[in-house]
Amino acid sequence: MHETDAAILTEANRVMEICNACRYCEGYCAVFPAMTLHRSFAEADLNHLANLCHNCKACYYACQYAPPHPFGVNVPQAFALLRDETYRRYAWPAPLARLFERNGTVVSLVTALAVTAVLLLTAGLTAPGTLVHAAVGARAFYRVIPWAVMAGVATLALGYAVLAMTIGAVRYWRQSGSAQVTTAAILRGVHDAFTLRNLGGGGQGCNDKDESFSTTRRLLHHAMAYGFLACFAATCTAAFAADILGWPAPYPWFSLPVILGTLGGLGLLVGTSGLFGLKLVTDPTPLARRLLGGDIALLVLLWLTAASGMLVLGWRQTSEMPLLLAIHLGLILALFSLLPYSKFVHGLYRTLALIRAAADRG
């Protein structure tokens, strides 16, 4: 299993020792109340605190020891690097974690290969000219890509992503030094995760761009996260309609799969576009800049997946639909393949960290 980089761990320990002596930022987020429970910090404790951090940067702008002070305390940067290390440490299978390394170039290559593979698969399994002729009426999508192939590839990709992320989450939980967990702690942790309560800073919001307070990033995260969940719900309801009820796609405009998919796609487009824009204008000093490429690549992949889905919906009665559908499915295949090795897992680890924090508070 991947060993945490010693320099990153040492820096995280140094800043936490300074913060634990100061305690000026106790009310800002879940990190600092959890920090005060320790006099010293084992690696498991630092991993836990790093995954509690929501990178709102409020502590950085409030800190009297932040750069250019000689202490150079930069909690958001130190914890961003340590979180990135935990993603690799607990990822399964371990060799793939090192291969991807949240690298934007690798994300781009995997995406291109996945789209190409689906296009070739479509061309090989269907009649010549399928990708350039309109397919309308019942089962139109399945004349482009056979249902068995579409469902089989999607199931395998999603199943692999769920398995890999579950194994990573179990590894993280077992080594986090977790307290005795109660139902109340689980409910509190899940509530804090889904409401993004810790992106509220000290109550006025977070420092999205600079020292001024804002709730923009919190709202954009909500749009992206709930947009993704709505798209997943749309896929599940469509699969239920096709497999259980025997209703083949495409579905009417006011059917549940289309409504959920439309709302989810719009949420993803708004959330990813806004977060990408914030990354371009935010103060780079508190950030871990070497992680920026992978973060942006994931945002772009999510945006492309949502945009291609909306295009399939809007152009499903045209000759452009077959090609758009193949590209959309290729993007989904790439997204599912990359999820366990991307920043996407931060939502899972952060939820577990919030549950542990609630359990530690009792």
Side-chain angles (χ1 to χ4, degrees), residues 136-274:
V136 297
R139 308 188 67 84
F141 290 167
Y142 311 146
R143 291 199 294 275
V144 178
I145 300 178
W147 166 248
V149 175
M150 187 186 302
V153 171
T155 300
L156 287 173
L158 177 61
Y160 173 78
V162 171
L163 175 64
M165 288 191 291
T166 300
I167 292 174
V170 170
R171 287 176 170 178
Y172 169 78
W173 184 257
R174 284 177 175 173
Q175 297 187 31
S176 69
S178 303
Q180 186 67 35
V181 176
T182 63
T183 301
I186 294 174
L187 292 175
R188 180 58 185 272
V190 171
H191 171 270
D192 288 350
F194 276 80
T195 59
L196 293 175
R197 186 175 71 89
N198 290 282
L199 277 179
Q204 299 171 288
C206 293
N207 303 103
D208 296 332
K209 295 188 294 184
D210 48 35
E211 67 272 10
S212 60
F213 294 100
S214 170
T215 58
T216 301
R217 184 161 163 262
R218 182 180 187 179
L219 294 173
L220 292 171
H221 263 96
H222 274 306
M224 182 176 67
Y226 286 108
F228 182 88
L229 290 175
C231 288
F232 183 73
T235 302
C236 293
T237 55
F240 179 82
D243 290 345
I244 307 301
L245 302 180
W247 299 345
Y251 300 108
W253 284 101
F254 293 103
S255 63
L256 187 59
V258 173
I259 292 172
L260 288 172
T262 301
L263 293 175
L266 291 174
L268 270 173
L269 289 173
V270 170
T272 53
S273 298

Side-chain angles (χ1 to χ4, degrees), residues 3-26:
E3 294 298 325
T4 303
D5 186 280
I8 292 174
L9 199 62
T10 299
E11 177 61 12
N13 184 72
R14 184 186 74 86
V15 298
M16 278 296 95
E17 288 182 343
I18 295 172
C19 291
N20 209 10
C22 174
R23 300 196 176 186
Y24 179 79
C25 298
E26 273 190 67

Side-chain angles (χ1 to χ4, degrees), residues 30-353:
V31 169
F32 298 100
M35 172 196 72
T36 61
L37 300 176
H38 303 275
R39 291 188 176 182
S40 60
F41 302 95
E43 182 174 350
D45 300 323
L46 291 169
N47 289 340
H48 168 58
L49 294 174
N51 281 284
L52 272 182
C53 174
H54 286 58
N55 200 36
C56 78
K57 303 187 286 292
C59 62
Y60 174 82
Y61 291 106
C63 182
Q64 60 185 320
Y65 301 120
H69 191 280
F71 285 178
V73 171
N74 191 336
V75 174
Q77 183 182 86
F79 276 172
L81 292 170
L82 185 54
R83 275 196 307 278
D84 185 69
E85 288 288 307
T86 64
Y87 302 157
R88 284 204 296 277
R89 176 170 186 175
Y90 302 116
W92 178 89
L96 284 181
R98 269 298 181 190
L99 173 65
F100 286 95
E101 295 246 4
R102 268 141 307 276
N103 185 295
T105 302
V106 173
V107 172
S108 302
L109 288 173
V110 170
T111 302
L113 289 172
V115 171
T116 302
V118 172
L119 287 171
L120 291 174
L121 188 65
T122 303
L125 292 175
T126 56
T130 298
L131 288 173
V132 294
H133 293 132
V136 297
R139 308 188 67 84
F141 290 167
Y142 311 146
R143 291 199 294 275
V144 178
I145 300 178
W147 166 248
V149 175
M150 187 186 302
V153 171
T155 300
L156 287 173
L158 177 61
Y160 173 78
V162 171
L163 175 64
M165 288 191 291
T166 300
I167 292 174
V170 170
R171 287 176 170 178
Y172 169 78
W173 184 257
R174 284 177 175 173
Q175 297 187 31
S176 69
S178 303
Q180 186 67 35
V181 176
T182 63
T183 301
I186 294 174
L187 292 175
R188 180 58 185 272
V190 171
H191 171 270
D192 288 350
F194 276 80
T195 59
L196 293 175
R197 186 175 71 89
N198 290 282
L199 277 179
Q204 299 171 288
C206 293
N207 303 103
D208 296 332
K209 295 188 294 184
D210 48 35
E211 67 272 10
S212 60
F213 294 100
S214 170
T215 58
T216 301
R217 184 161 163 262
R218 182 180 187 179
L219 294 173
L220 292 171
H221 263 96
H222 274 306
M224 182 176 67
Y226 286 108
F228 182 88
L229 290 175
C231 288
F232 183 73
T235 302
C236 293
T237 55
F240 179 82
D243 290 345
I244 307 301
L245 302 180
W247 299 345
Y251 300 108
W253 284 101
F254 293 103
S255 63
L256 187 59
V258 173
I259 292 172
L260 288 172
T262 301
L263 293 175
L266 291 174
L268 270 173
L269 289 173
V270 170
T272 53
S273 298
L275 290 171
F276 179 81
L278 278 181
K279 286 185 180 295
L280 297 179
V281 299
T282 192
D283 177 7
T285 310
L287 303 179
R289 278 180 262 189
R290 73 174 175 86
L291 305 180
L292 188 60
D295 292 354
I296 288 178
L298 178 62
L299 287 175
V300 171
L301 179 55
L302 284 167
W303 189 92
L304 288 172
T305 303
S308 62
M310 298 296 285
L311 288 173
V312 170
L313 181 63
W315 273 264
R316 58 183 175 169
Q317 301 291 330
T318 71
S319 59
E320 286 79 16
M321 183 276 283
L323 181 59
L324 289 171
L325 177 63
I327 291 173
H328 178 59
L329 293 176
L331 290 168
I332 290 176
L333 177 60
L335 180 63
F336 285 165
S337 301
L338 291 165
L339 287 186
Y341 314 104
S342 70
K343 191 182 176 180
F344 187 90
V345 297
H346 84 283
L348 180 59
Y349 288 9
R350 185 164 289 156
T351 300
L352 294 176

